[in-house]
């Protein structure tokens, strides 16, 4: 892929062949020049699409009516291709199908660069891309499915009507759930047994002379396995060529940002500044803090100390919650002094880093409160650390005990542990939110600890009146929003932020 | 098992003679070269030798047939194993950059060992075999040979007697040699029906629909079962063995049989009763698909393979024509056309064939052979004449026929390819 300039240059209709099906295996990298803006935009939008695929896949049964409806909405909203026909009709002035497919193609390859570097990233990327592919392939008609397979060198022939008649009984007896009628109706594909190992191994298909006779619906499994293998290999290769790409200074920051991407609000602009008093932090930690911050707060109170990772994660969170610099200094100082640190040492060593967080010392690149992605993926905690994401980094037994001590119901705990097992850490936290706030559906898609806090405060009736517990649960029910679950809610400021004061800080943070 | 003339103590004297005069090197080399289609196929093949005093050496490889001969005659291995074809010469594997020395291809192999049937055979146990339980091997070969050919499309299968208590199958097709680990294990699992170890009582469970593979296997089974199991093994004779069979049946049938068996002592009638009861239960039950009688047959007779032997591309397996040190028997190919009359106790021992070497023997068609031999070198000629004078001859012929079939296949493939290329 060439990144030689900012010029946009479209290659003509020879690309049409590449894009004549909506799903694709992404075998060939795109060969055109694109602008950096398009580079970043395409990538971010695909990331949003993949996250939607992940969320919907866990929240709803795949291919259920709700799943389909919501996923289709995401496709439209983000302008990704879904329709089967390639034509140049424009819908309401939006991009044409061709343009959508081009974006699909390019954005996939960009994300490969961002997601090839670690096992975790690869696994996530492959999983979502497979689900995406499965969905799109499923939308194709029978004929288009066969066309697609042939075009992609999966030269699986269809079994002729004649042959099906001859093999009728054998076919019926080879697969559970096939009857005479279904054998007649369904398409069967002839697949070399080496490409259908799982089905052969468990004797779920008819095998003759080394050819497996695969019914229509099983063909997806085979195609998916093939896709996963290809993508896995491709990512390994991409990882090897990555140093060359990373040496291009324009791309490195974009790619780094993508792989830790949090594609929503960054809570760097503080609303509600000074609205939280220090006395409120203790009760708030139990009610409105996400589990990670609740733990950090507890550890701080118990040990009168937190290590650097914990200070950063919790300190920036508190800043996002609305603590002023003065409040923060007071908060940390009073706690540390109770421990082994005396006032002098605090002022010398720790105060500096807190001022740093608030942009008062030197210039550092990252002042924004950490998103869930960042907490989960970077800087795993070691012995003596309390930062990180409890759903990701805690031993499940320990997590279970902690949840029990917070009086979460056993059913709820099991639900959380199931999500943890499936590596859906943010969804587990969302479930924790739902259980602690006694609501069915959080109504938002959790991506950021400060988002958790804001949503909780919204539910509980605002930052000031946390004493009105009774009304809260009722209001909580009413407030379950019917917004799209994928959009993080914009923070609702209860009072106008004092922009003038914070003016320079705002611009400071825009850089991120 | 009577081991007539053979005495393991004689091995050190017999082996050198065997490797000098009897081991069929030309055929062996021809086999493992596979027509020379792939470069260095023979040279990159791993052999392992077990020498006197159980010294085991791996990563042996040879450039030519001659080199192989000389080495074997020099070191006189007690056991020879064949491994995979590697990316480099195995004997030089230490000089290769770490990670790049890899097993690339190998025949798909199966190892059926009589010890794995100890829970269902009454005549023998452990390393012993007799003509009664040998039928199990016959059944195994029939079922697996059919499946590998008809279901998987393999054509070149070499079945070999292991020399003591089992058989091996070498699937030599191109496609088979190129199979991945996953594919090999998938084939082995497809062929497996008996599952479970000591703790499992009911090792075969069938449910609807009955896959065609199982139906075919049952057809073979039904041919042998009555004579083998009911008569030969007498599984419905003594109380102890009847109880074992009953433990595989549901409670209600078991009760009925226990009372029936009190009056009926004829095992064949007892078996018929079991089948009738199962049948009745099946037709009266709404659930359907109850195959207890078939499960019993399969548990007592169906081939038990070790998936681990078949899975690994780099797995080493005993070589055909090697000697079994404990029995002295030569690991000979089995002619499937005469499978039902194959008798492991008739397989020549090394002492027998060395003895036969001493005696001059009349050979059929010796004159034709003389003409052919004129075209080969003197040493080889002598050796060819040598093994032909012994009982080993007919087994080498089996290998010859096998090699011919592979050669014809290769030729056919090449013609197809060139025809294809000529089409524009």
């Amino acid at each position: 892929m060439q990144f030689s300039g900012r010029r946009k240059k479209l290659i003509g209709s020879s690309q049409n062949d590449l894009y004549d099906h909506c799903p694709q295996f992404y075998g060939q990298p795109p060969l055109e020049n694109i602008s950096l803006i398009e580079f970043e935009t395409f990538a971010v939008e695909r990331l949003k699409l993949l996250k939607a695929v992940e969320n919907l896949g866990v929240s709803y049964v795949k291919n259920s009516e709700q799943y389909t409806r919501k996923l289709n909405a995401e496709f439209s909203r983000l302008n990704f291709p879904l329709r089967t026909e390639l034509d140049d009709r424009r819908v309401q002035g939006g991009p044409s199908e061709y343009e959508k497919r081009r974006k699909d193609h390019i954005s996939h390859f960009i994300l490969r660069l961002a997601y090839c570097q670690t096992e975790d990233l690869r696994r996530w990327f492959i999983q979502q891309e497979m689900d995406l592919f499965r969905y799109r392939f499923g939308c194709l008609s029978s004929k288009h499915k066969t066309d697609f397979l042939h075009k992609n060198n999966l030269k699986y022939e269809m079994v002729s009507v004649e042959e099906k008649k001859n093999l009728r009984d054998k076919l019926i007896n080879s697969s559970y759930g096939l009857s005479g009628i279904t054998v007649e109706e369904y398409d069967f594909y002839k697949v070399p047994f080496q490409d259908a190992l799982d089905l052969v191994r468990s004797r779920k298909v008819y095998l003759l002379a080394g050819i497996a006779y695969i019914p229509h619906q099983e063909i997806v499994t085979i195609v998916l396995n093939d896709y996963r293998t290809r993508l896995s290999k491709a990512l390994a290769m991409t990882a090897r060529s990555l140093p060359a790409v990373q040496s291009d200074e324009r791309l490195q920051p974009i790619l780094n940002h993508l792989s830790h991407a949090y594609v929503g609000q960054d809570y760097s602009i503080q609303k509600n500044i000074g609205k939280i008093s220090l006395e409120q932090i203790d009760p708030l930690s139990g009610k409105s803090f996400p589990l990670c911050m609740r733990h950090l707060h507890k550890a701080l109170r118990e040990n009168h100390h937190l290590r650097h990772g914990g200070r950063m994660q919790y300190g920036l969170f508190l800043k996002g919650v609305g603590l002023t610099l003065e409040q923060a200094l007071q908060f940390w100082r009073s706690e540390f002094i109770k421990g082994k640190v005396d006032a002098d040492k605090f002022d010398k060593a720790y105060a500096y880093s807190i001022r740093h967080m608030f942009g008062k010392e030197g210039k550092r690149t990252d002042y924004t409160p950490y998103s869930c992605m960042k907490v989960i993926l970077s800087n795993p905690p070691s012995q003596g650390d309390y930062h990180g994401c409890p759903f990701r980094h805690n031993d499940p037994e320990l997590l279970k005990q902690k949840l029990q001590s917070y009086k979460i119901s056993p059913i709820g705990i099991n639900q959380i542990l199931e999500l943890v097992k499936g590596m859906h850490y943010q969804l587990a936290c969302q479930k924790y939110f739902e259980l602690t706030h006694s609501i069915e559906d959080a109504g938002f898609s959790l991506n950021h600890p400060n988002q958790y806090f804001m949503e909780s405060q919204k539910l509980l009736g605002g930052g000031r009146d946390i004493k009105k517990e009774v009304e809260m649960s009722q209001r909580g029910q009413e407030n379950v929003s019917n917004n799209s679950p994928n959009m993080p809610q914009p923070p609702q400021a209860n009072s106008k932020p004092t922009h003038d004061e914070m003016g320079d800080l705002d611009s400071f943070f825009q850089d991120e | 098992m009577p081991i007539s003339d053979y005495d393991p103590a004689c091995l050190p004297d017999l082996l050198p003679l065997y490797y000098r005069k009897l081991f069929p090197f030309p055929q062996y080399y021809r086999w493992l070269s596979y027509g020379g289609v792939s470069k260095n196929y023979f040279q990159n093949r791993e052999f392992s030798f077990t020498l006197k005093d159980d010294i085991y050496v791996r990563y042996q490889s040879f450039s030519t047939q001659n080199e192989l001969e000389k080495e074997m005659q020099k070191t006189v291995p007690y056991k020879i194993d064949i491994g995979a074809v590697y990316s480099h010469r195995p004997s030089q594997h230490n000089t290769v950059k770490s990670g790049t020395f890899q097993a690339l291809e190998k025949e798909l192999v199966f190892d059926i060992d009589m010890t794995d049937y100890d829970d269902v055979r009454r005549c023998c146990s452990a390393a012993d075999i007799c003509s009664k339980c040998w039928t199990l091997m016959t059944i195994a070969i029939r079922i697996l040979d059919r499946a590998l050919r008809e279901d998987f499309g393999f054509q070149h299968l070499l079945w070999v007697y292991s020399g003591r208590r089992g058989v091996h199958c070498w699937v030599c097709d191109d496609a088979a040699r190129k199979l991945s680990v996953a594919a090999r294990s998938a084939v082995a699992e497809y062929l497996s029906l008996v599952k479970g170890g000591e703790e499992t009582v009911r090792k075969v469970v069938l449910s609807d629909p009955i896959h065609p593979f199982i139906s075919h296997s049952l057809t073979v089974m039904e041919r042998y079962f009555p004579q083998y199991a009911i008569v030969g093994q007498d599984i419905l004779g003594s109380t102890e063995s009847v109880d074992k069979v009953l433990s595989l049946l549901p409670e209600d049938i078991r009760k009925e049989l226990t009372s029936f068996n009190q009056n009926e002592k004829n095992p064949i009638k007892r078996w018929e009763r079991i089948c009738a009861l199962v049948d009745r239960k099946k037709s009266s039950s709404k659930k359907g698909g109850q195959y207890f009688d078939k499960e019993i047959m399969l548990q007592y007779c169906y081939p038990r393979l070790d998936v681990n032997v078949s899975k690994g591309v780099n797995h080493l397996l005993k070589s055909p024509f090697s000697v079994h040190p404990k029995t002295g028997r030569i690991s000979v190919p089995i002619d499937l056309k005469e499978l039902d009359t194959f008798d492991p106790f008739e397989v020549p021992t090394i002492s027998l064939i060395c003895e036969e070497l001493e005696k001059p023997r009349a050979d059929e068609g010796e004159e034709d052979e003389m003409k052919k031999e004129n075209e080969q070198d003197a040493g080889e000629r002598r050796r060819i004449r040598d093994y032909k004078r012994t009982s080993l001859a007919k087994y080498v012929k089996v290998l010859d026929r096998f090699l011919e079939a592979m050669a014809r296949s290769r030729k056919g493939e090449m013609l197809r390819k060139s025809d294809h290329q000529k089409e524009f």
Side-chain angles (χ1 to χ4, degrees), chain B residues 314-363:
Chain B
N314 52 6
H315 187 96
L316 292 143
L317 187 65
K318 182 174 215 256
S319 169
F321 291 102
S322 60
V323 184
H324 196 298
K326 296 213 172 70
T327 61
R329 306 239 180 238
I330 313 290
S331 230
V332 293
I334 300 175
D335 185 354
L336 256 59
K337 289 202 286 283
E338 326 228 308
L339 181 58
D340 285 323
T341 53
F342 180 85
D343 181 358
F345 300 103
E346 288 299 305
V347 170
T349 61
I350 187 174
S351 23
L352 176 68
I353 54 182
C354 286
E355 225 180 85
E356 287 170 336
L357 256 187
E358 308 303 311
K359 305 185 249 176
R361 217 171 86 170
D363 233 325

Side-chain angles (χ1 to χ4, degrees), chain A residues 329-346:
Chain A
L329 283 168
Q330 193 190 336
F331 174 71
W332 291 96
R333 193 171 193 263
S334 64
E335 198 56 52
F336 272 50
I337 288 179
K338 291 185 200 152
K340 299 187 191 145
V341 178
D342 64 50
D344 260 348
K345 181 165 183 206
F346 181 86

Side-chain angles (χ1 to χ4, degrees), chain B residues 122-182:
Chain B
R122 301 181 60 209
C123 48
C124 311
S125 70
D128 295 330
I129 61 168
C130 70
S131 53
K132 279 202 206 142
C133 49
W134 184 257
T135 316
L136 287 171
M137 294 296 110
T138 310
I139 296 174
I141 295 176
R142 289 239 181 268
I143 290 180
L144 296 177
D145 195 73
R146 182 214 70 80
L148 289 167
R149 284 179 197 279
E150 287 178 19
D151 295 6
F152 285 97
F154 295 126
Q155 298 176 327
H156 304 290
L157 279 66
L158 186 69
W159 287 93
V160 182
Y161 172 55
S162 74
R164 188 157 66 152
R165 61 189 189 208
V167 294
H168 301 157
C169 179
W170 294 77
V171 185
C172 301
D173 296 58
D174 269 357
R177 285 179 275 130
K178 294 183 160 74
L179 288 177
S180 65
V181 172

Side-chain angles (χ1 to χ4, degrees), chain A residues 152-166:
Chain A
N152 283 279
N153 279 322
L154 292 171
K155 287 189 165 42
Y156 300 149
E157 270 175 58
M158 259 191 2
V159 178
S160 69
V161 176
E162 188 69 38
E163 204 179 351
K164 259 203 285 190
K165 230 194 315 195
N166 292 337

Side-chain angles (χ1 to χ4, degrees), chain B residues 135-404:
Chain B
T135 316
L136 287 171
M137 294 296 110
T138 310
I139 296 174
I141 295 176
R142 289 239 181 268
I143 290 180
L144 296 177
D145 195 73
R146 182 214 70 80
L148 289 167
R149 284 179 197 279
E150 287 178 19
D151 295 6
F152 285 97
F154 295 126
Q155 298 176 327
H156 304 290
L157 279 66
L158 186 69
W159 287 93
V160 182
Y161 172 55
S162 74
R164 188 157 66 152
R165 61 189 189 208
V167 294
H168 301 157
C169 179
W170 294 77
V171 185
C172 301
D173 296 58
D174 269 357
R177 285 179 275 130
K178 294 183 160 74
L179 288 177
S180 65
V181 172
R184 284 165 208 255
S185 89
V187 175
E189 282 185 51
Y190 175 92
L191 298 170
S192 300
L193 276 180
V194 180
K195 307 218 165 121
E198 299 261 349
E199 314 84 57
T200 321
V201 175
R202 198 166 152 220
K203 296 193 165 94
V204 182
V205 180
L206 295 179
S207 53
D208 273 329
I210 301 287
H211 191 277
F213 166 76
I214 300 180
S215 312
H216 281 299
S217 307
L218 282 168
T219 311
V220 174
M221 202 80 73
E222 276 150 12
R223 264 170 55 198
Y224 291 91
F225 182 79
Q227 184 58 36
Y228 163 73
I230 307 297
V231 179
Q233 293 289 314
D234 198 28
I235 61 174
L236 290 174
S238 75
T239 320
E240 195 200 324
S241 52
V242 172
D243 281 343
K244 266 187 159 165
V245 177
L246 289 181
S247 71
L248 302 174
L249 291 162
E251 177 105 31
D252 49 350
I253 298 188
R254 223 184 299 157
K255 280 207 189 102
E256 284 215 44
L257 280 169
T258 317
S259 53
F260 179 85
N261 288 345
Q262 273 168 3
N263 300 321
E264 181 56 76
K265 299 297 174 194
N266 182 340
I268 297 185
K269 290 265 181 270
R270 285 176 169 181
W271 175 245
E272 283 170 6
R273 184 86 185 141
I274 292 180
C275 295
L277 286 171
V278 171
D279 221 14
R280 197 178 66 187
K281 186 171 165 110
K282 185 156 84 165
S283 39
S284 70
S285 155
K286 283 193 201 120
K287 262 202 298 189
Q290 300 185 341
Y291 300 101
F292 301 105
D293 51 344
K294 309 214 190 295
E295 287 171 5
I296 292 173
M297 282 199 283
L298 292 171
Q299 181 148 342
Y300 276 83
C301 302
Y302 186 85
R304 297 169 180 215
L305 14 116
D306 184 353
V307 178
N308 291 315
V309 168
S310 310
K311 236 173 40 175
V313 179
N314 52 6
H315 187 96
L316 292 143
L317 187 65
K318 182 174 215 256
S319 169
F321 291 102
S322 60
V323 184
H324 196 298
K326 296 213 172 70
T327 61
R329 306 239 180 238
I330 313 290
S331 230
V332 293
I334 300 175
D335 185 354
L336 256 59
K337 289 202 286 283
E338 326 228 308
L339 181 58
D340 285 323
T341 53
F342 180 85
D343 181 358
F345 300 103
E346 288 299 305
V347 170
T349 61
I350 187 174
S351 23
L352 176 68
I353 54 182
C354 286
E355 225 180 85
E356 287 170 336
L357 256 187
E358 308 303 311
K359 305 185 249 176
R361 217 171 86 170
D363 233 325
E364 311 110 287
E366 199 171 328
E367 287 189 40
D368 292 326
E369 308 293 356
M370 296 290 269
K371 285 194 202 132
K372 249 194 267 165
E373 286 160 23
N374 285 331
E375 291 152 21
Q376 288 150 326
D377 75 69
E380 243 186 70
R381 258 184 277 148
R382 223 179 304 128
R383 198 175 337 119
I384 291 173
R385 259 177 285 149
D386 283 338
Y387 81 70
K388 285 190 177 172
R389 292 196 278 124
T390 69
S391 313
L392 201 59
K394 76 172 190 180
Y395 299 102
V396 179
K397 270 215 186 78
V398 178
L399 183 57
D400 276 329
R401 284 196 291 268
F402 175 76
L403 295 173
E404 278 305 309

Side-chain angles (χ1 to χ4, degrees), chain A residues 341-507:
Chain A
V341 178
D342 64 50
D344 260 348
K345 181 165 183 206
F346 181 86
D347 289 330
K348 279 188 201 142
Y350 297 99
Y352 178 85
S353 74
I354 294 169
R355 283 198 297 277
H356 228 285
M357 273 187 235
F358 280 78
K360 297 300 187 189
E361 297 283 353
K363 185 179 198 263
R364 281 179 57 189
T365 48
D366 192 6
Y367 290 95
T368 55
Y370 297 167
S371 64
C372 289
M373 259 282 211
K374 181 153 183 171
V375 170
I376 290 170
L377 291 177
S378 16
N379 192 21
S382 7
Q383 196 60 27
D385 284 325
Y386 293 90
H387 64 267
C389 171
F391 301 101
R392 163 78 174 91
H393 296 119
N394 276 19
D395 174 61
E397 258 320 297
L398 219 58
L399 181 63
K400 186 173 171 187
Q401 283 170 20
K402 286 207 177 119
L403 292 170
Q404 281 167 339
S405 73
Y406 296 146
K407 310 255 189 339
I408 311 278
S409 72
I411 300 177
I413 295 183
N414 278 338
Q415 286 174 323
I416 291 180
L417 291 176
E418 272 309 303
L419 287 167
V420 166
K421 204 154 74 171
M423 299 200 282
H424 303 291
Y425 309 118
Q426 286 154 260
L427 290 168
C429 193
Q430 220 170 286
K431 179 56 69 187
Y432 169 77
F433 181 97
E434 287 163 8
L435 291 163
T436 49
H437 292 73
S438 304
I439 55 171
E440 286 270 324
D441 181 359
F444 65 93
S445 192
L446 181 63
N447 284 310
H448 199 293
N450 287 91
Q451 175 195 19
Y452 185 109
F453 179 78
M454 308 238 56
E455 289 293 334
S456 173
Q457 287 295 288
K458 217 168 63 185
L459 254 187
L460 300 174
R464 292 175 226 139
D465 295 349
I466 52 178
K467 287 173 197 158
K468 292 186 187 162
E469 314 239 18
V470 178
E471 287 171 301
M472 256 171 275
S473 37
Q474 285 177 342
R475 217 178 301 167
Q477 301 291 345
E478 288 161 16
N479 273 352
V480 170
S481 69
N482 42 17
N483 289 337
S484 148
N486 294 306
M487 281 306 291
Q489 300 299 319
Q492 290 170 350
N494 287 333
S495 69
K496 212 166 157 215
T498 45
H499 282 297
D500 301 321
E501 262 179 57
M502 298 299 139
D504 10 320
L505 270 180
D506 278 352
S507 55

